[in-house]
Amino acid sequence: ISSPLPPDETCNVRKCIAADTSVHDLYGSLICTNFRISFITKDVTPFQKFQYQNLLLEEHDVSLTCVERVVAVNDARKKRKVLSSNQFLKFNPNELIIYCKDFRIILFRFDEAVPESARKLCLAIAHYSQPKDLQLLFGFAYVREQHQNPDTKVNGEFGDGQQTSLFESYTDWDREIKRTVASEWRVCSVNERFTTSLPEYFVVPSSLADEDLKQLSPSFNGGRIPMWCWQHSSGSALVRMANVRPGVQLRKHDTRILKAITQSHPQRSEVFKSDLDKTLPSLQEIQAAFHRLKQLCINLFEETDEKWSSSLESTRWLEYIRLFLKHSAELTQWLDSKHISVVIQEEEGRDLSCVVASVVQVMLDPHFRSIQGFQSLIQKEWVIAGYRFLDRCNHLQKSDKQECPLFLLFLDCVWQLLQQYPAAFEFTETYLTMLYDSTWIPLFNTFLFNCQSQRVQQSQDFAINGNLHCSGPGLRLPNVWDWSLQFTEKERTLFNNPLYIGKTASCLQNGTIKTFRRSKVNMLQ
């Protein structure tokens, strides 16, 4: 599914398997394509690390989007250089180190390769792994090929993820309202022209007309008025919103919005407001913890087990996981025990709130602990709600200041719950791992964009610029929920948890079925 970019290929390359010995090293050719870095070898890997095979990536492949840093080394001249796009390299390297965003560190040696060929390959990898334009990512080249050659699909037709609600239509939102019996809420389309980063359709209190919403929208950062997430069976609702801009008149608008939310739950006359910017770590703190965690993994083999344990604590990554879980559990108490609606608020309502809103729903709604439900949750609270995947994953390597691993933090939170309540979840840790790995495959529209508006606009622009005639608004990249593009049906069985006992209960302890919600707070304290 990808094409080589001659002359970006070097033969007689050695891939170093272990840092302390060359016994298991592999020999082959290293190639850079428009999608991945491929190491092709006839040797048999001495030990199989994985139980599955990805149909898009071979065992020794790395997608270009997964490359974080490219380092060229010349031992004889004691030269070491971090390569950037369109950069000149003054020496011929005999070693190439690729640092990956998924924590892998891959080492290649060019002892027997043609020096000039090795140098050109290193520069090509650095260049193609740091594209300056979104439409240079592989997904656009792939969908162009599919449009021009419809009979060349890799693994059958798209649509394996049809049962996953994408929340791009009125119907999906209306179905979710009916599923949760949120009769005091309605689907609106005030953002149909994408004037904000909100989706085209979202849910608001029925007491607010479209004209009211248009009037209130400028009061909130980015125009992101409160957006309904979910409703408890008691009628209490979970809502997320951006901060209100400063000003006396604008604060009145905030009060009006809260009153409308309260009216949507007539049995209670109050709303609990949670300011995430004040209660949880900042994006900068989370990113710093993540950097410390990655550095710890780089030095893993140089540390003793005792040092590893103490150093892991010092990264503060696990501490932040605990804080997010604890705060989410506290909010479930307001919704589930006190039957009071919760409004989670932050600067723009599209970062920390993605994590908290998702974890709360995983805790309270068994539907979101099924595979299809979990995928729909990610679509609803991350993809459609406007999480900045492009910036936070730094796909274009533009700004480290915008980068933050919030999606990984969310998956880690879910993994922690999965370990404590394995029978509550239909999916496995393998599924969570594959989902995280998919964020670094530049094929799926799910993880390439900052919001629905950008997703639609880029699709339209690409079709126009490429003079590609198609029905509808533009060429559509596949979504990640079409797992048949990556795995065979047999391998997808690894996603299914054999301990899962259905949506009626969540965990099995000492042979007794216990509900998830009764023990959620004790679990997290």
Side-chain angles (χ1 to χ4, degrees):
I1 65 170
S2 59
S3 58
L5 304 166
D8 305 324
E9 175 178 356
T10 300
C11 302
N12 300 320
V13 177
R14 175 160 59 99
K15 181 179 181 181
C16 301
I17 301 299
D20 55 349
T21 178
S22 61
V23 174
H24 299 301
D25 288 356
L26 302 176
Y27 289 85
S29 298
L30 190 60
I31 302 173
C32 179
T33 77
N34 63 345
F35 169 47
R36 60 194 174 188
I37 304 165
S38 293
F39 180 71
I40 302 174
T41 178
K42 295 181 180 180
D43 297 329
V44 178
T45 305
F47 44 87
Q48 183 69 29
K49 294 183 178 180
F50 307 105
Q51 296 176 289
Y52 55 85
Q53 179 182 4
N54 193 306
L55 297 172
L56 299 178
L57 296 168
E58 298 292 340
E59 181 180 357
H60 302 290
D61 290 352
V62 179
S63 71
L64 293 176
T65 313
C66 190
V67 176
E68 181 175 58
R69 191 161 28 118
V70 180
V71 179
V73 181
N74 184 292
D75 292 335
R77 299 177 60 180
K78 297 182 180 180
K79 295 284 187 178
R80 181 185 177 96
K81 187 174 184 62
V82 178
L83 301 179
S84 59
S85 181
N86 297 320
Q87 190 175 35
F88 182 72
L89 185 59
K90 296 181 180 180
F91 60 86
N92 290 324
N94 59 357
E95 186 174 283
L96 173 66
I97 308 174
I98 298 176
Y99 294 86
C100 302
K101 295 177 181 178
D102 61 3
F103 289 73
R104 285 181 294 170
I105 303 173
I106 305 174
L107 174 63
F108 296 103
R109 296 282 303 184
F110 301 122
D111 300 325
E112 300 178 25
V114 177
E116 180 64 16
S117 174
R119 185 178 65 84
K120 288 183 177 180
L121 179 65
C122 291
L123 291 172
I125 292 174
H127 175 74
Y128 291 114
S129 63
Q130 300 174 50
K132 299 304 180 183
D133 186 89
L134 181 57
Q135 294 190 8
L136 294 176
L137 294 177
F138 173 69
F140 290 95
Y142 173 82
V143 78
R144 181 197 289 115
E145 179 70 17
Q146 299 303 309
H147 177 76
Q148 295 174 340
N149 302 285
D151 297 328
T152 62
K153 289 189 184 299
V154 182
N155 301 300
E157 298 293 326
F158 295 165
D160 190 56
Q162 282 183 348
Q163 297 178 9
T164 298
S165 295
L166 300 181
F167 291 97
E168 295 177 348
S169 67
Y170 177 98
T171 303
D172 282 348
W173 284 106
D174 187 58
R175 186 186 299 116
E176 185 67 4
I177 287 177
K178 292 175 180 176
R179 186 186 73 84
T180 58
V181 198
S183 57
E184 300 298 323
W185 298 80
R186 69 177 182 89
V187 184
C188 78
S189 58
V190 294
N191 195 42
E192 60 184 349
R193 299 194 179 188
F194 294 116
T195 55
T196 73
S197 59
L198 287 169
E200 182 178 5
Y201 300 99
F202 57 100
V203 176
V204 297
S206 297
S207 60
L208 292 176
D210 284 359
E211 287 305 315
D212 296 326
L213 297 172
K214 292 176 182 178
Q215 179 185 2
L216 295 169
S217 178
S219 306
F220 296 87
N221 289 336
R224 292 181 63 90
I225 55 181
M227 177 180 174
W228 176 88
C229 301
W230 178 80
Q231 179 164 295
H232 190 271
S233 58
S234 68
S236 55
L238 179 65
V239 181
R240 51 192 288 193
M241 73 179 197
N243 288 342
V244 179
R245 296 167 57 202
V248 177
Q249 184 62 36
L250 300 184
R251 286 198 294 271
K252 291 181 179 179
H253 291 174
D254 182 32
T255 302
R256 186 179 175 188
I257 284 282
L258 294 177
K259 182 179 179 180
I261 295 172
T262 303
Q263 290 174 344
S264 70
H265 185 24
Q267 291 79 11
R268 302 305 294 255
S269 59
E270 58 182 310
V271 171
F272 178 75
K273 204 171 181 180
S274 173
D275 189 340
L276 302 185
D277 292 325
K278 295 179 180 179
T279 57
L280 291 173
S282 67
L283 300 183
Q284 293 75 22
E285 289 172 324
I286 294 171
Q287 179 67 359
F290 182 65
H291 273 307
R292 290 192 291 266
L293 179 64
K294 292 192 73 171
Q295 188 59 47
L296 182 62
C297 292
I298 291 174
N299 299 330
L300 175 62
F301 294 108
E302 300 175 3
E303 307 256 359
T304 64
D305 291 341
E306 183 178 353
K307 289 182 180 180
W308 161 255
S309 177
S310 61
S311 298
L312 180 59
E313 287 295 322
S314 67
T315 66
R316 305 193 73 182
W317 178 259
L318 292 179
E319 177 186 346
Y320 292 161
I321 295 292
R322 184 188 67 82
L323 288 175
F324 273 88
L325 287 170
K326 185 175 184 294
H327 188 71
S328 299
E330 290 169 352
L331 297 186
T332 65
Q333 289 294 294
W334 288 96
L335 290 160
D336 184 52
S337 300
K338 300 180 182 180
H339 301 166
I340 293 176
S341 294
V342 171
V343 175
I344 51 179
Q345 182 177 358
E346 66 172 323
E347 183 64 24
E348 291 190 26
R350 55 193 300 202
D351 282 305
L352 304 179
S353 61
C354 293
V355 181
V356 174
S358 300
V359 174
V360 167
Q361 291 172 77
V362 167
M363 288 179 167
L364 287 176
D365 194 336
H367 170 67
F368 295 125
R369 299 195 291 272
S370 68
I371 291 178
Q372 293 298 338
F374 187 71
Q375 294 177 172
S376 297
L377 177 69
I378 292 174
Q379 275 289 141
K380 178 164 66 79
E381 300 300 339
W382 294 80
V383 180
I384 291 300
Y387 178 70
R388 299 181 182 89
F389 278 104
L390 182 65
D391 294 341
R392 299 300 181 232
C393 296
N394 203 9
H395 287 319
L396 299 183
Q397 306 272 4
K398 281 189 175 181
S399 174
D400 293 342
K401 294 181 179 179
Q402 295 291 324
E403 194 172 352
C404 189
L406 283 175
F407 188 62
L408 175 62
L409 185 143
F410 163 64
L411 295 180
D412 202 339
C413 287
V414 175
W415 183 85
Q416 299 290 341
L417 297 175
L418 174 61
Q419 301 313 300
Q420 297 178 62
Y421 293 91
F425 295 85
E426 185 181 15
F427 49 83
T428 62
E429 65 175 26
T430 298
Y431 169 82
L432 293 176
T433 302
M434 294 302 96
L435 184 55
Y436 176 67
D437 286 347
S438 297
T439 61
W440 309 120
I441 298 180
L443 172 62
F444 309 111
N445 66 31
T446 314
F447 303 127
L448 287 187
F449 304 99
N450 285 335
C451 60
Q452 187 184 10
S453 172
Q454 186 184 56
R455 187 174 292 105
V456 172
Q457 188 63 52
Q458 288 289 331
S459 177
Q460 294 173 342
D461 292 347
F462 181 70
I464 294 172
N465 295 338
N467 196 26
L468 301 173
H469 302 287
C470 58
S471 58
L475 294 179
R476 185 180 180 88
L477 279 67
N479 66 67
V480 73
W481 315 126
D482 186 0
W483 290 109
S484 65
L485 288 175
Q486 295 192 68
F487 304 102
T488 65
E489 184 176 355
K490 179 181 179 181
E491 287 167 324
R492 294 199 300 273
T493 60
L494 295 172
F495 292 178
N496 298 309
N497 180 8
L499 300 177
Y500 182 57
I501 55 179
K503 297 179 181 180
T504 56
S506 57
C507 63
L508 191 63
Q509 296 179 349
N510 299 323
T512 303
I513 295 177
K514 297 185 178 181
T515 59
F516 187 82
R517 59 182 179 84
R518 290 178 184 170
S519 55
K520 61 181 178 295
V521 175
N522 291 334
M523 170 194 64
L524 299 171
Q525 286 180 342

